[in-house]
């Protein structure tokens, strides 16, 4: 069985409230633009952030977490998937994410957080995958987790997209199998990596 990284045995059992507002961001960075995005998330009343990798491009997890905490708070529900620019300091980022998870009421996750994990928050079910970036066996993990979940809202989150799923010229680093497993499991797919729509 997968280890449980949870705050409470009952965490994640509540139904999704109407109009739950989720912010999707990727390739965050540090600086004025990233601060402006976090302020927009706060000002728009988003209740949860799903970050699709590439946290700060500077390999300084402590500063990255300080900036988020200063704007959104230390217990704000922010969950993230590893990006290619996060690999070198992943242990620090993962520690910050685990510390945050421990403070988030109604949140629970199983697996390797941000790499091969499945989480619930207020009835929302989401998979945080490192497919194309770290570890293996993502397709079967995605398939099994979606097969064992009955949530109305399901999300697959990872960093790198396929070439045909982006507006820029890129590489096919992920393959179509993860996309297919999420599609068959009824999940929305959120990715990052391409900066065409950056603020």
């Amino acid at each position: 069985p997968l280890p449980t990284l949870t705050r409470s045995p009952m965490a994640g059992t509540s139904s999704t409230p109407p109009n739950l507002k989720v912010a999707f961001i990727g390739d965050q960075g540090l600086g004025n633009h990233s601060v402006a995005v976090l302020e927009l998330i706060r000002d728009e009343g988003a209740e949860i952030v799903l970050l699709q990798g590439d946290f700060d491009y500077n390999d300084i997890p402590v500063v990255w977490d300080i900036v988020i905490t200063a704007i959104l708070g230390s217990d704000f529900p922010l969950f993230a998937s590893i990006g290619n620019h996060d690999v070198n300091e992943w242990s620090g980022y993962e520690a910050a994410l685990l510390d945050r998870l421990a403070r988030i009421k109604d949140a629970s996750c199983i697996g390797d957080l941000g790499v091969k994990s499945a989480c619930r928050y207020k009835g929302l079910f989401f998979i945080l995958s490192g497919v194309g970036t770290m570890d293996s066996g993502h397709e079967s993990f995605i398939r099994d987790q979606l097969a064992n979940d009955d949530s109305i809202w399901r999300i697959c989150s990872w960093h790198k997209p396929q070439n045909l799923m982006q507006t820029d010229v890129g590489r096919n680093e992920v393959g179509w199998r993860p996309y297919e497993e999420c599609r068959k499991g009824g999940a929305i797919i959120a990715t990052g990596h391409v900066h065409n729509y950056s603020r």
Side-chain angles (χ1 to χ4, degrees):
L2 293 167
T4 300
L5 311 171
T6 181
R7 184 178 189 278
S8 157
M10 295 303 293
T13 60
S14 60
S15 60
T16 304
N19 304 313
L20 178 71
K21 190 175 284 190
V22 181
F24 296 89
I25 61 174
D27 306 85
Q28 186 179 13
L30 287 175
N32 293 337
H33 293 300
S34 61
V35 167
V37 170
L38 292 171
E39 290 172 342
L40 177 65
I41 289 167
R42 179 198 62 206
D43 296 346
E44 288 291 321
E47 298 172 60
I48 175 176
V49 171
L50 295 181
L51 169 57
Q52 283 77 54
D54 283 3
F55 300 170
D56 62 25
Y57 298 102
N58 293 299
D59 289 340
I60 43 176
V62 172
V63 173
W64 170 77
D65 189 55
I66 287 171
V67 171
I68 292 168
T69 297
I71 298 166
L72 299 178
S74 64
D75 61 349
F76 187 88
L78 184 143
F79 302 86
S81 304
I82 187 172
N84 56 294
H85 286 283
D86 310 320
V87 171
N88 290 340
E89 291 295 327
W90 179 242
S91 61
Y93 292 115
E94 186 178 38
L97 291 167
L98 285 167
D99 287 346
R100 183 170 293 273
L101 175 62
R103 294 188 296 268
I104 301 170
K105 185 181 176 185
D106 298 324
S108 63
C109 296
I110 61 164
D112 186 1
L113 189 63
V115 177
K116 197 188 298 179
S117 55
C119 301
R120 286 182 174 79
Y121 176 71
K122 292 190 174 180
L124 183 70
F125 179 76
F126 48 98
I127 293 171
L128 304 170
S129 178
V131 65
T133 302
M134 182 179 280
D135 208 352
S136 60
H138 295 284
E139 295 85 359
S140 59
F141 180 81
I142 290 168
R143 181 179 60 249
D144 294 346
Q145 294 305 310
L146 290 172
N148 291 317
D149 179 74
D150 61 359
S151 302
I152 295 171
W153 293 103
R154 306 164 180 209
I155 299 166
C156 290
S157 170
W158 62 76
H159 183 61
K160 294 180 179 179
Q162 282 290 85
N163 184 32
L164 293 175
M165 300 297 283
Q166 57 184 295
T167 58
D168 199 358
V169 176
R171 295 177 296 211
N172 294 324
E173 300 174 274
V174 175
W176 289 112
R177 286 186 58 211
Y179 283 93
E180 279 298 291
E181 295 300 344
C182 292
R183 181 190 64 78
K184 289 188 286 187
I188 296 168
I189 301 167
T191 60
H193 200 45
V194 180
H195 296 202
N196 291 43
Y197 302 105
S198 63
R199 182 180 177 88

